[in-house]
């Protein structure tokens, strides 16, 4: 049995409704989780909401409600988004849940037992938007002369009694970790983190006393944990920490956005080192998704609800677009036109039509009976080899390397090869001239289409399942092992009959305002 695979997304702040960046991260993680399941690995996939901290407390105050009430409402939208986008999580964690408070207090006590926590006074800059402390030297100046964090958010001067974590003690170990290949990807994000550690780490303020919306510090009246201490611990909570976590820890992959790499590759490993727990195998910082090249914001009035996009264009069209369009790790841009163009051109014309033509032809001319393979011509062998290479080598290698866009490109090349084959073999002509050859051509296409449907299922799960249902491929064959070779013959000999296919990817029209 291959190693189990534990994947997590960041947990989102439920201080508002989910935006396209949240959808992007959840979908990307889901594609990776589904690919690993397809490979036969035991997968655990966790996502959720990060409900504590000053940002949540202030937003609730602004709205005249309690933070718990705000979190309850908004967390529901995040979970609904995941469900609507076919995100196959095993646990949707909320950090307000009792088992999470218990886990956070346990890791705190482990860090305390290691001698890594001490009480002192914090004086410095804090950004509520980032929930982050910054050094004076990191700050920039805004247009009106005000101080801004490196992320461009406002900072406020904070003075409080606080617990501190001995981050400085872990400097050398962290440098070694950051330099080890594979821990932080893409590699382009490594230098910035290495430089940050090299300039010297200061101990980290890890509790607050000026508000109480958080996990209580054990044995320290009036202190709640700094929100990132509890937030990061969510990755352990979901596995049962502090009880036995089974074989899923350390996590195989923490998938996060580029703005929170520091928390995941410096603070988190240091907390784990202190608590004497194994370190995650990989942290991947994906890029940001922009709306026509611009950051979405209320003032620009370009905030898009991801569920509106899914409703307008279809869940699978949106999922396909996001994975296909953006080189994973880099920033990307989306627009209705770009979604429509990819969906119509690649899903509709290239793959959907291929399936439609082939299945329709079999339904009409062979009464739905699966054609028999009667000997191979060179063109058939060549197509089989092309598809096989895509689904057993190129796509898995790309998915493993988290080169998600390349995995889809490899798939698309194989789809194009099938289209070239159907045009060259012209089964509609063979029907009259050589019906036996026609059957072989259709059987070849049928096999390749089923294999390609399985291989792309992590990206477009619902359409893929619909197609595999139409093709009559049994559930136990819908994995990379199951469709390897010779799986077709028993099916062709069974009395399964294809029905006339229904369209998989209805043609999308551009919304009026964009056309
Ligand atoms: O950072 N494009 O929560 P969050 C792509 N609670 N990804 C984006 C994005 C965009 N435009 N905007 C945000 C937090 N993200 C913390 C995480 S983890 C223990 C705690 C990503 O709601 C962002 O990078 O601000 C992060 O990975 C995720 O969305 C949640 O962001």
């Amino acid at each position: 049995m291959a190693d189990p695979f534990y994947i997590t997304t960041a947990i989102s702040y439920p201080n508002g409704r989910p935006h396209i960046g949240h959808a992007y991260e959840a979908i990307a993680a889901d594609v990776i989780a589904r690919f690993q399941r397809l490979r036969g690995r035991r997968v655990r996939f966790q996502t959720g909401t990060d409900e504590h901290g000053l940002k949540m407390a202030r937003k609730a105050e602004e709205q005249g409600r309690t933070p718990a009430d705000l979190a309850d409402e908004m967390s529901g939208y995040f979970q609904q988004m995941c469900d609507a986008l076919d995100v196959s999580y095993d646990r949707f964690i909320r950090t307000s849940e009792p088992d999470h408070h218990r886990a956070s207090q346990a890791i705190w006590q482990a860090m305390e037992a290691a001698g890594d926590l001490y009480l002192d006074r914090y004086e410095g800059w804090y950004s509520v938007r980032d929930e982050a402390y910054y050094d004076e030297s990191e700050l920039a100046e805004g247009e009106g002369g005000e101080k801004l964090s490196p992320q461009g958010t406002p900072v406020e001067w904070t003075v409080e009694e606080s617990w501190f974590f001995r981050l400085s003690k872990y400097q050398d170990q962290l440098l070694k970790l950051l330099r080890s290949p594979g821990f932080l990807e893409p590699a382009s994000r490594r230098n910035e983190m290495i430089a940050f550690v090299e300039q010297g780490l200061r101990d980290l303020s890890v509790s607050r006393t000026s508000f109480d919306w958080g996990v209580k510090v054990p044995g320290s009246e009036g202190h709640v944990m700094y929100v990132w201490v509890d937030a990061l611990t969510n990755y352990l909570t979901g596995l049962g920490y502090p009880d036995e976590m089974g074989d899923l820890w350390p996590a195989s992959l923490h998938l996060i956005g580029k703005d929170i790499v520091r928390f995941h590759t410096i603070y988190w490993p240091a907390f784990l080192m202190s608590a004497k727990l194994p370190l995650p195998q990989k942290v991947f910082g994906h890029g940001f998704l922009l709306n026509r090249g611009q950051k979405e914001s209320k003032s620009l009035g370009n905030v898009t609800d991801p569920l509106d996009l899914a409703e307008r264009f279809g869940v699978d069209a949106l999922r396909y677009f996001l994975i296909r369009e953006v080189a994973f790790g880099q920033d990307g841009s989306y627009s209705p036109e770009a979604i429509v163009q990819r969906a119509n051109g690649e899903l509709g014309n290239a793959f959907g039509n291929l399936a439609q033509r082939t299945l329709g032809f079999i339904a009409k001319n062979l009464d739905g009976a699966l054609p028999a393979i009667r000997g191979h011509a060179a063109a058939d062998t060549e197509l089989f080899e092309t598809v096989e290479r895509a689904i057993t080598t190129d796509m898995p290698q790309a998915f493993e390397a988290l080169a998600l866009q390349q995995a889809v490109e490899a798939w698309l090349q194989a789809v194009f090869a099938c289209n070239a084959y159907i045009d060259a073999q012209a089964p509609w002509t063979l029907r009259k001239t050589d019906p036996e050859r026609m059957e072989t051509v259709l059987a070849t296409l049928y096999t390749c289409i089923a294999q390609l449907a399985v291989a792309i299922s992590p990206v477009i799960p619902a359409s893929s399942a619909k197609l595999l249902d139409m093709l009559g491929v049994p559930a136990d064959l819908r994995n990379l092992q199951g469709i390897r070779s010779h799986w077709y013959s028993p099916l062709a000999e069974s009395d399964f009959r294809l029905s006339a296919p229904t369209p998989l990817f209805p043609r999308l029209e551009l919304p009026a305002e964009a056309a």
Side-chain angles (χ1 to χ4, degrees), residues 71-378:
D72 282 348
E73 184 195 345
M74 295 300 164
S75 181
Y77 295 131
F78 280 85
Q79 190 160 2
Q80 266 171 28
M81 175 193 77
C82 288
D83 293 338
L85 297 177
D86 278 341
V87 174
S88 59
Y89 57 83
D90 297 291
R91 173 149 180 202
F92 187 96
I93 192 171
R94 298 186 53 188
T95 56
S96 52
E97 289 167 323
D99 65 338
H100 179 68
H101 281 240
R102 178 169 168 257
S104 304
Q105 291 180 330
I107 197 172
W108 181 280
Q109 281 163 330
M111 297 193 291
E112 193 168 34
D116 286 340
L117 298 178
Y118 60 90
L119 208 51
D120 203 343
R121 208 172 116 87
Y122 180 77
E123 268 189 49
W125 296 103
Y126 192 77
S127 158
V128 178
R129 285 251 293 275
D130 306 346
E131 296 280 19
Y133 302 96
Y134 292 107
D135 261 5
E136 179 89 39
S137 63
E138 293 180 87
L139 302 181
E141 201 164 293
E143 277 168 15
E146 74 283 12
K147 290 191 189 294
L148 293 178
S149 82
Q151 313 278 357
T153 60
V155 291
E156 49 195 65
W157 185 252
T158 305
V159 181
E160 266 176 74
E161 182 195 63
S162 168
W163 284 94
F164 279 79
F165 171 73
R166 286 188 209 285
L167 186 61
S168 53
K169 177 174 153 186
Y170 294 97
Q171 182 151 335
D172 294 345
Q173 275 170 270
L174 287 169
L175 271 179
K176 213 168 123 198
L177 175 69
L178 288 166
R179 288 189 178 123
S180 55
F183 173 69
L184 167 55
E185 286 184 356
S188 57
R189 309 224 186 278
R190 238 185 259 159
N191 290 342
E192 193 192 334
M193 290 305 119
I194 291 175
F196 182 75
V197 178
E198 273 176 341
Q199 57 147 48
L201 289 175
R202 298 224 265 160
D203 290 350
L204 183 69
S205 165
V206 287
S207 76
R208 304 296 302 265
T209 51
S210 52
F211 61 95
D212 64 358
W213 176 239
V215 178
K216 292 198 168 24
V217 171
S220 186
E221 194 69 28
H223 286 257
V224 293
M225 290 179 201
Y226 169 40
V227 61
W228 274 100
V229 175
D230 99 69
L232 289 160
T233 306
N234 93 84
Y235 303 133
L236 300 177
T237 307
L239 301 182
Y241 182 81
D243 302 332
E244 183 50 56
M245 288 195 282
D247 57 359
L248 288 163
W249 192 260
S252 314
L253 175 63
H254 291 318
L255 182 66
I256 56 163
K258 63 179 183 178
D259 58 328
I260 55 173
V261 169
R262 182 191 292 186
F263 302 94
H264 282 81
T265 62
I266 297 176
Y267 300 170
W268 181 226
F271 297 162
L272 290 166
M273 287 169 188
S274 170
K276 302 186 175 51
L277 287 165
L279 308 180
Q281 287 165 5
K282 189 186 292 297
V283 175
F284 188 95
H286 62 73
F288 266 39
L289 206 64
L290 305 169
N291 185 342
R292 295 181 199 280
Q294 278 185 316
K295 207 177 148 140
E296 292 193 346
S297 75
K298 293 210 176 87
S299 53
L300 285 174
N302 64 350
V303 179
T304 314
D305 181 341
L307 292 190
D308 285 348
L309 289 177
E311 222 159 84
R312 245 151 100 184
F313 304 120
V315 172
D316 281 351
L318 178 63
R319 291 175 60 112
Y320 180 84
F321 171 80
L322 292 174
I323 300 301
R324 165 72 176 104
E325 182 79 2
V326 184
F328 199 51
Q330 292 172 25
D331 290 347
S333 201
Y334 77 95
S335 65
E337 304 88 277
I339 299 174
V340 167
Q341 201 184 353
R342 289 275 183 216
N344 283 347
E346 296 174 5
L347 288 180
N349 295 345
F351 189 56
N353 280 353
L354 170 72
Q356 200 75 20
R357 284 157 94 189
T358 307
L359 301 197
F361 201 85
I362 296 173
K364 190 158 164 223
N365 296 294
L366 297 175
D367 212 13
L370 294 194
I373 297 188
R374 304 170 197 274
H376 283 304

Side-chain angles (χ1 to χ4, degrees), residues 375-377 379-380 421 425 430 434-442:
H376 283 304
D380 312 340
Y421 173 90
Q425 300 301 318
L430 294 170
D434 189 349
E436 279 205 2
R437 175 71 195 140
M438 173 196 79
E439 282 209 40
T440 302
V441 166
L442 292 173

